[in-house]
Amino acid sequence: MGDVFKEQIIKRKPTFRDTLFRILLIVAAGLVFMIAFIFVPAFGAIIGFAAIFGAWFAMSYLNVEYEYVFTNGELDIDIIYNRSRRKRIFSQHVNKFDIMAHIDDNARAGEFSGAQEVRNYTSGETNENTYAFLTTLDSKRVKVIIEPNEKMLKAIATVLTRRKLFVKQ
């Protein structure tokens, strides 16, 4: 059997909270810019442009993508901000998953209800490819929600045993 490598990018859709935060940042930067020119004319331009740059930098963290990388049984999830800054947020072998099922699988809902923490690494919309798995991280029961495509799901299925993986029929 050869090496298995699959990767997938999921773009998170902006939420109402993201839009509201963007508006508040723009308004705050504009106010700081105007107040700086009124009260500190000598340094107003520097302070004002620093506020605008700070708002632009903060808004870049609202453009989020998740990258799933599956390599020989190891699932890594990275968060990518503004298509330029990357950070590893999850890494574990799928054999350590207690169960993996479709998010709408009511027969498994009781097993997922015991999770102490929920981590959502999806686009924000529940669809036919939205799955959850239950695992232990830092001595906590964690429910992780992902959106694997068919190729990624088949690769995971080759490693997970039938008793742990419940694919939506």
Side-chain angles (χ1 to χ4, degrees):
M1 185 171 133
D3 289 341
V4 177
F5 177 79
K6 301 290 180 200
E7 64 182 346
Q8 176 184 357
I9 301 267
I10 298 290
K11 182 165 178 51
R12 189 183 78 187
K13 293 182 176 29
T15 63
F16 174 75
R17 192 180 117 225
D18 292 341
T19 305
L20 185 63
F21 188 66
R22 278 189 172 102
I23 292 168
L24 289 174
L25 279 173
I26 291 168
V27 168
L31 285 174
V32 168
F33 190 81
M34 290 187 317
I35 290 171
F37 266 113
I38 293 170
F39 292 111
V40 192
F43 297 107
I46 294 171
I47 295 169
F49 285 118
I52 291 171
F53 177 76
W56 170 80
F57 186 75
M59 280 193 280
S60 72
Y61 278 90
L62 298 176
N63 183 13
V64 173
E65 294 176 334
Y66 297 107
E67 181 181 40
Y68 309 148
V69 178
F70 183 78
T71 310
N72 295 332
E74 187 82 21
L75 179 64
D76 300 320
I77 302 176
D78 294 347
I79 188 167
I80 304 168
Y81 297 105
N82 205 32
R83 295 185 179 179
S84 61
R85 291 179 296 282
R86 169 187 303 264
K87 180 181 177 186
R88 172 81 28 98
I89 54 176
F90 179 85
S91 182
Q92 192 175 57
H93 198 281
V94 297
N95 280 340
K96 294 185 180 176
F97 296 177
D98 295 329
I99 186 172
M100 182 172 179
H102 192 270
I103 194 78
D104 292 332
D105 189 349
N106 293 329
R108 313 287 181 269
E111 296 176 60
F112 286 112
S113 66
Q116 297 168 307
E117 184 179 333
V118 176
R119 297 182 183 182
N120 190 343
Y121 305 134
T122 66
S123 65
E125 295 179 350
T126 301
N127 58 41
E128 66 276 352
N129 291 340
T130 306
Y131 283 80
F133 59 85
L134 194 61
T135 189
T136 303
L137 293 172
D138 301 326
S139 68
K140 278 196 235 176
R141 303 287 293 153
V142 179
K143 176 182 175 182
V144 179
I145 305 169
I146 60 174
E147 280 183 65
N149 59 20
E150 287 300 316
K151 291 179 182 178
M152 180 78 64
L153 195 58
K154 284 180 183 177
I156 291 171
T158 60
V159 177
L160 271 181
T161 60
R162 234 6 191 165
R163 62 182 173 75
K164 291 184 177 182
L165 177 63
F166 299 95
V167 180
K168 187 175 183 182
Q169 305 321 15

